[in-house]
Amino acid sequence: MPVVVVSSIEANKFNKRAMKKRKSILQKSAGLAGKLCFLLAVLCAVGLYIKSDELGMQHPISGSLLASSFFFVFIGFVLTVIGNADIPSFKVVSASTVEEKE
């Protein structure tokens, strides 16, 4: 009975090739939406700065701009993490299929 010895480097290369996946359109759009949310948060903060001098911080518009900037910052963070995540492919790939692609 022959014994096959595979080094950990070769096994790691195989796993990287088998698990490599391009980002889907949904993941790319999540990253783009995250950047857009950060931009909206900055715009809300600028609007808050401008309106707080005119209306004061006790006005409902100031409160809504503050809440909107808080919301957009954290939604932007979550969507950016989703867009940058390395989500593996869960397809079952045999070793012969990977060798044929090389």
Side-chain angles (χ1 to χ4, degrees), residues 13-57:
K13 286 181 185 177
F14 174 75
N15 286 337
K16 283 184 180 178
R17 275 187 252 132
M19 299 297 279
K20 198 170 197 177
K21 179 183 178 283
R22 287 176 274 155
K23 291 183 181 182
S24 70
I25 188 72
L26 294 174
Q27 197 172 4
K28 289 178 185 177
S29 63
L32 183 64
K35 291 174 185 164
L36 179 66
C37 284
F38 282 127
L39 177 67
L40 289 172
V42 169
L43 290 176
C44 286
V46 169
L48 175 65
Y49 180 74
I50 292 169
K51 286 293 183 179
S52 66
D53 289 340
E54 180 183 329
L55 301 173
M57 287 302 288

Side-chain angles (χ1 to χ4, degrees), residues 57-92:
M57 287 302 288
Q58 298 297 324
H59 200 272
I61 291 176
S62 299
S64 67
L65 286 172
L66 184 62
S68 295
S69 63
F70 179 82
F71 173 79
F72 284 128
V73 164
F74 285 102
I75 292 300
F77 177 72
V78 169
L79 289 176
T80 302
V81 168
I82 290 171
N84 291 335
D86 185 22
I87 301 171
S89 174
F90 292 111
K91 290 181 182 178
V92 177

